[in-house]
Structure formats: structure tokens, C-alpha cells
Amino acid sequence: MKNKKIIIGLPLAVLLGLALFAFASNRSVPLRVKAAFVKKFPQVKKVKWDKESDAEWEAEFKMDGMEYSANFLEDGTWKETEHEIEQKDIPDAVRATLDSELSGYEIEEAEISETVDGLTYEFEMENGEQELEVSIDVHGKLIHKQVVDEEGEKDKD
């Protein structure tokens, strides 16, 4: 009987620990960041926060049935909002650039990224062993292309 209590107690302790960790990480999000998020996304009620870097926080949330992420600096400055899109939703101008400048590459992931500069389409692409990260503006202009090596490191292209 004593073994059953230990077996039942261990998963409960792990769950409690995870819940406390999630609560603690949410509590450490600066108030300016939380306030900026609420101002930008007032309809969102449930948010998961992660520390993106020393100076940046990332919020993950659902809105209109889609999964989003939004990044904010420590002072509350909004940097970017992203969400995945289906390949069928890629605009014609962007598709034309993909077909002409990146033929042979397969789209692994497609996202829309919104910043203060506007919208861009971001792609993770593969051609055999080679992986690329690509950004294309709404008019179809290729604005960023970077090779990603086997360890996930990015090489400037």
C-alpha cells in the first residue's frame, strides 16, 4: 500500500511543480510588457509567456481559432506578431517569387509576420539537405534569405 502512495504522489508532485513553474514564469513578466499585450490584444484572455532573450518576451495565444505569437521588449515595445498560414493562403505575388527564385525548394512552414514596418511572409524551406529561412514582402520582393545548417545555426547568405 505504501508503494501505491508513492506512485500516485510522484505524478501529483510533478504536476504541481510544473504548475508552480508556469505561474512563476508568468509572474516575472514585466508589468509594462503585460500592459502592452493587453492594449494590443484586448480580446485575448489566456497567454503563455516565455523569455525570448535577455530583453525580449514572447506571448503565445489563440485568437480567432489560430495560434499566434507576439514579441515585446522589456519596456513594453511591441516588436512582432506571427501566425502560421496554409500554403493555399500565400498571395500570388509571393507565390511567384517562391516559384521563380526558390524553385526546387519545398515549403516546410509558412507564416505571416507583422511588424511596425508592415507584413512579410516568412518561410522555412528545404531542398534535400539544404534548409533556408526566407522572408518576402507583400509585393513579392525577396527581403531575406538565410541558410540554416544541420545544427540549426544560421549562415548569412
Side-chain angles (χ1 to χ4, degrees), residues 45-96:
K45 303 298 179 212
K46 188 175 178 182
V47 183
K48 179 183 173 260
W49 289 99
D50 286 312
K51 188 81 165 155
E52 186 79 355
S53 69
D54 287 342
E56 193 171 330
W57 287 88
E58 180 180 57
E60 294 179 347
F61 56 98
K62 283 191 177 183
M63 188 170 65
D64 301 326
M66 298 175 108
E67 292 186 18
Y68 282 78
S69 68
N71 291 47
F72 294 84
L73 297 178
E74 289 274 329
D75 67 1
T77 302
W78 169 75
K79 285 195 63 185
E80 175 183 45
T81 301
E82 294 179 324
H83 69 88
E84 284 191 38
I85 60 169
E86 300 288 326
Q87 289 192 31
K88 66 179 177 56
D89 297 325
I90 299 170
D92 292 340
V94 175
R95 173 69 64 194

Side-chain angles (χ1 to χ4, degrees), residues 14-28:
V14 170
L15 284 175
L16 239 96
L18 288 173
L20 287 172
F21 174 76
F23 180 73
S25 67
N26 268 343
R27 288 188 60 213
S28 62

